[in-house]
Amino acid sequence: DAKTTQPPSMDCAEGRAANLPCNHSTISGNEYVYWYRQIHSQGPQYIIHGLKNNETNEMASLIITEDRKSSTLILPHATLRDTAVYYCIVKPSNAGNMLTFGGGTRLMVKP
Amino acid sequence: KAGVTQTPRYLIKTRGQQVTLSCSPISGHRSVSWYQQTPGQGLQFLFEYFSETQRNKGNFPGRFSGRQFSNSRSEMNVSTLELGDSALYLCASSLTSGTTGELFFGEGSRLTVL
């Protein structure tokens, strides 16, 4: 499976957009990009996923580069409740529900 | 609708004992996955069950086992507990397996081995 690289930590001001990068330069054609987050002491929460097109839902937007080697998760208006560890995961479509979590990015939203 | 329910939420065992953890998935979900989270190793996949069959297995010793019942509820068992088994064990459910569905995680069972 392709591995992902994320910065270990980031800060963001409340109300501003949070842009979380992820590098997955060895991604294969059948691998999807998933984003999950984990708020302290809770189970991970699904945010969004995509294959090659940009995706948007009520929580966030996912921008995938044309060569698919990197992606950016955008939280348009970060709030204090968005403080969490964000995980970028690459998963083949034939891997069932086996997610390989890396270290993630610890996002701190500050007032 | 009710989320993923894991029991017990906290438990303490001693080395050599065994433990069974339970997971009730969201109604209608047929896939249940288990993950272990430790400060040192992070989140690691244990196994996945779909329609009572193990679909995938992570790189864990045979002391870790699981099963799924016909109502999709799942249990995992750890035998001959070691100190290093102290962790948060997370269960996740999904409608299907192998497609692009999202996983819904429970709040976990925190196991402490003394």
Side-chain angles (χ1 to χ4, degrees):
Chain A
D1 293 357
K3 298 203 181 299
T4 61
T5 304
Q6 299 178 253
S9 64
M10 292 181 62
D11 289 344
C12 177
E14 188 178 20
R16 304 297 293 268
N19 295 275
L20 293 93
C22 179
N23 181 285
H24 32 79
S25 59
T26 61
I27 193 170
S28 300
N30 71 336
E31 291 183 312
Y32 286 75
V33 179
Y34 285 79
W35 284 83
Y36 280 78
R37 72 179 182 183
Q38 187 173 26
I39 297 171
H40 183 61
S41 298
Q42 298 182 18
Q45 177 189 23
Y46 167 86
I47 301 173
I48 199 167
H49 76 275
L51 182 62
K52 51 184 172 182
N53 297 322
N54 298 336
E55 302 288 346
T56 296
N57 62 20
E58 65 279 2
M59 286 183 67
S61 294
L62 172 60
I63 308 298
I64 302 175
T65 58
E66 192 168 342
D67 63 6
R68 302 211 318 127
K69 292 185 177 182
S70 66
S71 60
T72 301
L73 179 74
I74 301 172
L75 307 179
H77 305 287
T79 70
L80 299 179
R81 288 176 293 182
D82 292 321
T83 293
V85 178
Y86 287 77
Y87 296 97
C88 171
I89 300 163
V90 171
K91 184 182 82 68
S93 58
N94 61 354
N97 289 326
M98 181 172 62
L99 300 178
T100 301
F101 287 83
T105 296
R106 186 173 298 275
L107 175 68
M108 179 74 72
V109 181
K110 298 184 175 181
Chain B
K1 55 183 176 182
V4 177
T5 304
Q6 293 189 245
T7 56
R9 291 292 314 280
Y10 303 91
L11 66 166
I12 300 173
K13 294 285 187 178
T14 57
R15 279 180 299 175
Q17 287 187 311
Q18 73 163 5
V19 66
T20 299
L21 307 178
S22 179
C23 173
S24 293
I26 292 172
S27 177
H29 285 194
R30 295 168 61 194
S31 169
V32 173
S33 307
W34 289 90
Y35 290 79
Q36 181 197 64
Q37 186 170 29
T38 61
Q41 299 298 318
L43 273 157
Q44 293 184 287
F45 173 81
L46 280 158
F47 27 65
E48 178 193 0
Y49 287 88
F50 179 76
S51 294
E52 302 178 64
T53 302
Q54 188 177 86
R55 287 291 305 270
N56 294 289
K57 189 176 191 306
N59 188 25
F60 279 83
R63 300 185 297 107
F64 292 80
S65 63
R67 60 178 175 169
Q68 186 179 34
F69 302 96
S70 58
N71 62 358
S72 294
R73 190 178 70 84
S74 177
E75 290 181 345
M76 67 163 284
N77 183 78
V78 188
S79 63
T80 319
L81 284 166
E82 301 176 359
L83 296 178
D85 297 332
S86 294
L88 179 66
Y89 290 88
L90 291 156
C91 167
S93 78
S94 178
L95 273 170
T96 60
S97 175
T99 62
T100 58
E102 63 184 276
L103 300 190
F104 294 84
F105 283 82
E107 296 195 340
S109 293
R110 185 166 295 281
L111 170 65
T112 301
V113 181
L114 302 176

